[in-house]
Amino acid sequence: MNENFFTEEDKIKFFDEIAEHFYERNFGTFAKADMELLMFRFYPEKLTDANMREDGTIDYSKCSDYNISKELGITQQRVRNLKVKKQLVYPTDVEWEKSLANLTKNARYLTGQSVVEVACTSDESVQGQMNGFRNFLLQRCSCVSCKSLTCVVS
């Protein structure tokens, strides 16, 4: 990891948050898994901030699960699990609509298969929202095309 990745202000803010969690009626009982999740939370947040486009969407190719796993020395599956846990414990609002609109620029319809293939995103929030949007459409549309529509994150 680049030693200049976190600024001095970031480090102070992160230490204050760690100390708050550790000392506030939690001294000696703060589990290792909780500490890892808190430490993990800082990394993707900084990574997404560093890769934010002018339109407010994130360049997910620069903060993929593969890149994070390589940088932190853990498996991609562990990264995905930590991302899901992070979103549950420390929820953040994601403007998934903009990210979905950006992804659909590379979407394609596979003729004869009723499949819409969408370019990959490693963000679990966006993937979840995409699946929710697909289910929303399927519940409100009775046409044969929508009922056989499948979304593939590739």
Side-chain angles (χ1 to χ4, degrees):
M1 181 182 314
N2 181 346
E3 66 183 55
N4 296 324
F5 187 70
F6 292 112
T7 64
E8 292 301 316
E9 293 82 21
D10 289 336
K11 292 173 186 177
I12 292 168
K13 183 179 90 172
F14 298 154
F15 177 79
D16 287 347
E17 190 166 341
I18 291 167
E20 179 182 324
H21 282 282
F22 192 79
Y23 291 118
E24 194 168 300
R25 293 180 304 246
N26 205 15
F27 191 83
T29 62
F30 198 51
K32 179 180 182 270
D34 294 333
M35 177 61 92
E36 286 178 351
L37 183 61
L38 182 60
M39 294 298 292
F40 178 79
R41 177 180 147 214
F42 302 141
Y43 184 76
E45 285 179 4
K46 182 68 175 180
L47 197 59
T48 54
D49 288 346
N51 292 293
M52 187 74 64
R53 295 184 184 116
E54 289 181 17
D55 64 357
T57 60
I58 300 164
D59 183 356
Y60 289 108
S61 66
K62 294 182 181 172
C63 46
S64 67
D65 291 347
Y66 172 76
N67 290 341
I68 293 172
S69 70
K70 193 168 92 172
E71 186 71 35
L72 298 180
I74 58 178
T75 65
Q76 290 180 53
Q77 183 61 46
R78 178 108 167 98
V79 170
R80 285 189 288 273
N81 290 342
L82 285 167
K83 281 183 172 181
V84 170
K85 287 180 185 176
K86 179 186 79 66
Q87 187 62 19
L88 291 172
V89 176
Y90 306 105
T92 55
D93 289 331
V94 176
E95 293 187 26
W96 64 271
E97 297 91 346
K98 287 182 179 179
S99 293
L100 177 59
N102 195 35
L103 290 172
T104 57
K105 293 175 186 172
N106 298 322
R108 61 184 180 154
Y109 179 74
L110 303 178
T111 308
Q113 298 177 32
S114 296
V115 173
V116 174
E117 188 172 79
V118 180
C120 180
T121 176
S122 65
D123 190 309
E124 300 291 332
S125 306
V126 175
Q127 287 181 13
Q129 293 294 344
M130 286 172 59
N131 288 330
F133 181 67
R134 175 188 163 268
N135 292 335
F136 172 80
L137 288 177
L138 292 175
Q139 290 173 357
R140 283 155 182 77
C141 185
S142 60
C143 73
V144 175
S145 296
C146 283
K147 288 192 184 268
S148 61
L149 182 67
T150 309
C151 291
V152 177
V153 179
S154 60

